[in-house]
Amino acid sequence: WFYLLVQFSSMLQMILNNHEYIGINIIVNNSCFSNERGAMNGLVMTLGSVFKAIGPLGAAAFAWSVGSRNSFPFDYHFGFFVLSILCVALLLYSKHLPLSLNEKRI
């Protein structure tokens, strides 16, 4: 049963990752004119690769916070504290996106 649960969760993760990627591409392609789409998609791919390269620093910060004997906020809560700040910042930023991103530009 455990193997089936792991397989199902892995498959669900891949499906959700694909939906996330498609949604981001739709928003990016709707935010620019058709003659700018190539440059915009290249910029998005470059930034995605840069942040995937920076991502392991977050794991290193989490490992450091678990291993350290510091007080709050630098104890084992540090990684979750930073992620919650980023999530709240993205939520607040997303509330200010223009509704015109839902409409395709020609």
Side-chain angles (χ1 to χ4, degrees):
W1 290 106
F2 180 71
Y3 179 73
L4 290 175
L5 183 64
V6 169
Q7 285 293 96
F8 178 74
S9 64
S10 176
M11 184 174 56
L12 185 63
Q13 179 185 9
M14 290 187 327
I15 290 170
L16 292 175
N17 282 342
N18 285 335
H19 280 85
E20 173 187 344
Y21 181 74
I22 290 169
I24 289 172
N25 275 334
I26 289 171
I27 289 173
V28 165
N29 284 320
N30 283 348
S31 68
C32 63
F33 294 107
S34 60
N35 61 343
E36 300 169 338
R37 284 200 180 119
M40 182 62 76
N41 285 328
L43 179 66
V44 168
M45 289 293 179
T46 302
L47 289 175
S49 297
V50 167
F51 284 110
K52 282 182 184 179
I54 293 173
L57 289 176
F62 178 71
W64 168 79
S65 69
V66 168
S68 68
R69 301 276 186 235
N70 296 329
S71 62
F72 184 80
F74 297 110
D75 57 353
Y76 60 92
H77 296 101
F78 180 68
F80 301 106
F81 187 65
V82 170
L83 285 176
S84 64
I85 289 173
L86 286 174
C87 286
V88 168
L90 285 173
L91 177 69
L92 293 175
Y93 179 72
S94 69
K95 296 294 182 185
H96 297 291
L97 289 175
L99 293 176
S100 63
L101 291 179
N102 292 332
E103 300 167 4
K104 187 173 183 176
R105 291 188 181 184
I106 298 175

